[in-house]
Amino acid sequence: MVGKTRSVLFRNRDFALLWSGETVSLLGSEISIIALPSLAVLVFGEGALGVGLLVALQWIPFVLLAPLMGVYTDRLRRRPLMHLANVGRFVTLGSLPLLAALDHLTLTHLYVVAVVKGVFDVVYQLAYQAYLPQLLERQDLADANAKTQLSRSLSIVFGRSAGGALVAATGAAKAVTADALSYLLSSLALLSVRSPEPAPAPARRGLAATLEDLRGGVRLTFDNRLLRNLTLMAAFGNTAVSMVLAMVIVFAYDDLGFSAGQVGLALGAGGVAVVAGAVLSRRITAALGLGRSLIFTHLVLGLAFALLPVADQGGKTFAIVVLIASQCVSSFTVPIANVGIMTLIQKSTPPQAMGRVGGVALPFVWGANALGPLLGSAISAAAGTPATFLVATVLTWAATVWIVLGSVHRLADDVPEELRVAV
């Protein structure tokens, strides 16, 4: 059955185009995950606090903008919004290498770019999540999410390694060029999608109607037991992941004495396991059930974070091995969890409400990516970076509490009618 579903998706030309463009942009984004913090550290001499602020600024728009943007995502066609976001990110990130070449790049501009990029990330992510259920049949959603996670996994492997190599070879500013171009290529692929997009339902205009839609999105999300507990679970988990993602680069540079190339090698090589996680995600979720797979992934993820403080107990070779091992374990779990979460959300939420539900959930889920770096940098400054990894371990294991409280662990392949959102 799994193989049959996969072959149907491969024959779906429009999804193949959407998937290809998304893969390219994900690859570019992973390069910037290395390049932007490296730019702050190597060019401007920033430490844990500066890097934590830079990463957090990219996620703050998810807290401030996502609820309102979720309303307009349900009111507008999703494909034009995705084009707008891609072009905006191309121009925004492209300004960094341009100003660096002109010797006018400043730390303030780098922080501004982080915020503006975050704004366009909100627009794109909400539109993409809402558009996918319009393009595919319900039974194809799990496979589509698995393929997207496979793309994300491959991007982690090759993007972070390429990011470290590009930073070492060309400098951090020029390395960002690859990410800027990836968004332009993604938009070109999206232009070739032929399936007509359904017209959005007519909506009342004005401030009062917008506020009512915002309140409706809150009710749809938090009055539903499944969505409420998935949101809180993901908030805890994402806080922990973003803490580690921001601080592991500082830890590698400052505590372990790694070069840019060694950082890319350790993070990229460790990310190879993410491909295995993506490939096996359908089988694991089918064997354990969508709910139990979330408990499995969070318990294992916490173990990976707990391993990181051991890295500074030996020489550089030992440190590289520990970082690779931790990355392998954590990377294996991430696509499995993401497939389970997105499939449950899409199967419980009708397409016409995906924007509002996503807009309410993202401040908690991805807004945690803004809290994580700030919390991680504060803990690192007060108690050392290894302490950050231990706190992240506790938060990751605490996320499983919401899975159990919401009885999410009892869900296998589909969402029963009583847990679906009624619009």
Side-chain angles (χ1 to χ4, degrees):
M1 182 66 179
V2 171
K4 183 178 179 181
T5 303
R6 184 180 296 115
S7 66
V8 169
L9 287 176
F10 272 122
R11 291 196 304 270
N12 186 321
R13 173 188 177 276
D14 287 337
F15 175 70
L17 286 166
L18 179 66
W19 184 34
S20 299
E22 180 73 356
T23 299
V24 172
S25 66
L26 287 171
L27 179 64
S29 297
E30 292 299 330
I31 292 174
S32 281
I33 282 179
I34 300 294
L36 289 180
S38 295
L39 186 60
V41 173
L42 301 178
V43 176
F44 296 107
E46 292 297 301
L49 289 174
V51 171
L53 177 61
L54 176 65
V55 176
L57 287 173
Q58 298 177 60
W59 298 108
I60 286 176
F62 283 89
V63 178
L64 302 180
L65 183 63
L68 180 61
M69 193 62 223
V71 171
Y72 286 102
T73 299
D74 283 343
R75 292 181 177 183
L76 302 172
R77 294 183 188 271
R78 281 73 185 262
R79 280 216 312 258
L81 290 174
M82 294 161 70
H83 283 302
L84 171 66
N86 278 332
V87 173
R89 291 183 290 187
F90 165 71
V91 173
T92 301
L93 285 172
S95 69
L96 291 176
L98 176 62
L99 290 179
L102 298 174
D103 201 25
H104 290 312
L105 182 61
T106 65
L107 183 60
T108 299
H109 183 80
L110 178 60
Y111 287 150
V112 170
V113 164
V115 174
V116 176
K117 177 184 178 296
V119 170
F120 286 120
D121 284 342
V122 172
V123 176
Y124 184 88
Q125 188 62 34
L126 286 173
Y128 181 84
Q129 289 181 0
Y131 181 61
L132 198 61
Q134 292 181 317
L135 192 64
L136 297 167
E137 297 295 330
R138 180 181 179 84
Q139 64 268 21
D140 292 334
L141 287 172
D143 198 32
N145 288 324
K147 282 179 168 53
T148 300
Q149 289 304 313
L150 177 60
S151 298
R152 191 178 299 276
S153 302
L154 291 170
S155 299
I156 290 173
V157 174
F158 296 108
R160 295 184 187 181
S161 297
L166 283 172
V167 169
T170 68
K174 289 182 180 178
V176 178
T177 306
D179 190 13
L181 291 174
S182 74
Y183 293 119
L184 189 60
L185 293 174
S186 175
S187 211
L188 290 175
L190 188 59
L191 283 172
S192 301
V193 173
R194 295 174 182 170
S195 296
E197 184 177 354
R204 293 181 298 121
R205 306 299 178 184
L207 178 61
T210 299
L211 291 176
E212 177 56 32
D213 282 347
L214 278 172
R215 288 191 291 269
V218 173
R219 289 193 298 269
L220 289 173
T221 304
F222 284 97
D223 286 352
N224 181 281
R225 175 161 54 90
L226 174 59
L227 293 181
R228 180 176 65 247
N229 284 277
L230 282 176
T231 297
L232 294 171
M233 175 212 71
F236 273 64
N238 277 16
T239 299
V241 170
S242 60
M243 286 173 63
V244 173
L245 184 58
M247 292 301 104
V248 74
I249 294 178
V250 177
F251 184 59
Y253 280 129
D254 294 348
D255 293 53
L256 304 179
F258 283 12
S259 66
Q262 289 170 329
V263 170
L265 172 64
L267 299 186
V272 171
V274 83
V275 177
V279 170
L280 296 174
S281 60
R282 290 291 309 281
R283 294 184 179 180
I284 292 174
T285 54
L288 298 178
L290 290 170
R292 287 191 178 90
S293 69
L294 294 178
I295 292 183
F296 163 74
T297 52
H298 282 76
L299 292 177
V300 174
L301 185 62
L303 290 175
F305 293 160
L307 182 63
L308 285 170
V310 181
D312 63 358
Q313 302 302 306
K316 186 168 291 187
T317 300
F318 175 78
I320 290 176
V321 170
V322 170
L323 255 66
I324 289 175
S326 176
Q327 285 291 302
C328 280
V329 174
S330 62
S331 296
F332 179 79
T333 67
V334 170
I336 302 170
N338 287 343
V339 168
I341 293 169
M342 281 311 305
T343 302
L344 287 172
I345 291 173
Q346 290 165 344
K347 286 191 173 185
S348 61
T349 309
Q352 66 268 28
M354 279 293 295
R356 282 167 290 166
V357 167
V360 172
L362 285 185
F364 293 90
V365 177
W366 284 25
N369 292 331
L371 173 63
L374 295 176
L375 180 61
S377 60
I379 295 172
S380 178
T385 306
T388 302
F389 303 142
L390 296 178
V391 173
T393 299
V394 174
L395 285 174
T396 304
W397 288 339
T400 62
V401 173
W402 297 110
I403 302 174
V404 176
L405 288 178
S407 298
V408 180
H409 61 289
R410 297 178 180 175
L411 299 179
D413 179 60
D414 207 349
V415 176
E417 193 65 38
E418 63 269 19
L419 288 181
R420 296 181 189 178
V421 174
V423 179

